[in-house]
Amino acid sequence: MFATVCIMLVVSWQYLFYILPSKRRAYIAINMLCLSECLLELNREALPQGAITKGSYIHDYFYKFLVSALYKKIYLKFPSLSDIKGNKESDIRMNLFDNELNDLCPATKAAVTGAIYAVSRIMFLNHPFEFIILFLMATRARLGIRSGMISSGKYITVSSFGLTGATR
Amino acid sequence: MNDLFQSFLEIVSQYGPFPVGIVFGVWISRWATKQQFEYMGKEIDALRKEREKIVDIVRSQESRIDILHNGSQKEGEK
């Protein structure tokens, strides 16, 4: 009995403090790769063709968000929960974002949604318990995990313009 | 020396049959480090691919940068 408890403690110690942090870092790096793929797609397709113009939400805020996350290595800030519901500004931004996403061609649309999904996964890896609260608040209809992750990721990108200065 | 070894054996045998604990400790640390190195390799691969993607981004921006540069040069000549 004592021996089994000791073995379980040792295994859990090794997993929690040696394996899990390296796993977390690896998955964050893989999800940052998704963001760089999205930025490449925007630069290669959408900007030369004129699908994204100056003044639109994706050009002014989402592109800036991607650049600050990739080039400046800025830590993705968690949004305050008051920004999610009952805030007119965030609702207006969400509507703008959805309309602009629907106007894009399917390849760039897939890239942008993939980037948003990656952002929400990074948030889940950095702040798991807070992200679960955000996920439960952001999902208006029970459509599935993927759509819920995408809607919560949209809220994160909408409300984190003032990114913090710490590295990731 | 022999007495010391015997006392060591006595102490260790209190924790169970003698070599099992050491073997288990070596195995668990080996497992953990192996996993860590696997994830480190994954992270390094992802960072390398990210660098390649960023180089591709700069290359895709070159044509637009050239247009801007030539335009400013012409304005300077005028």
Side-chain angles (χ1 to χ4, degrees), chain B residues 15-77:
Chain B
Y15 297 99
F18 167 56
V20 172
I22 290 164
V23 168
F24 177 73
V26 168
W27 176 78
I28 193 86
S29 54
R30 206 177 122 81
W31 174 67
T33 45
K34 211 184 258 182
Q35 293 259 324
Q36 271 184 318
F37 275 102
E38 275 178 21
Y39 285 122
M40 253 160 71
K42 274 186 187 176
E43 192 191 345
I44 289 161
D45 285 341
L47 289 169
R48 190 181 292 134
K49 281 176 189 169
E50 195 187 308
R51 283 285 168 80
E52 286 167 8
K53 286 274 166 15
I54 285 168
V55 170
D56 288 344
I57 288 162
V58 173
R59 272 182 196 147
S60 68
Q61 284 171 342
E62 270 176 3
S63 60
R64 288 189 292 135
I65 290 164
D66 286 340
I67 289 159
L68 284 169
H69 192 67
N70 294 324
S72 65
Q73 269 190 340
K74 280 172 189 173
E75 281 174 10
E77 283 168 10

Side-chain angles (χ1 to χ4, degrees), chain A residues 113-127:
Chain A
T113 48
I116 291 160
Y117 195 38
V119 165
S120 63
R121 276 182 295 186
I122 289 165
M123 273 311 180
F124 175 68
L125 292 165
N126 280 328
H127 313 275

Side-chain angles (χ1 to χ4, degrees), chain A residues 82-98:
Chain A
S82 61
D83 286 344
I84 293 166
K85 273 189 178 178
N87 193 348
K88 282 182 183 176
E89 286 182 17
S90 68
D91 286 339
I92 290 161
R93 284 180 200 149
M94 279 287 281
N95 289 326
L96 269 172
F97 199 28
D98 287 332

Side-chain angles (χ1 to χ4, degrees), chain A residues 43-54:
Chain A
N43 271 308
R44 196 178 272 169
E45 299 290 328
L47 278 170
Q49 289 173 5
I52 295 166
T53 51
K54 196 174 179 182

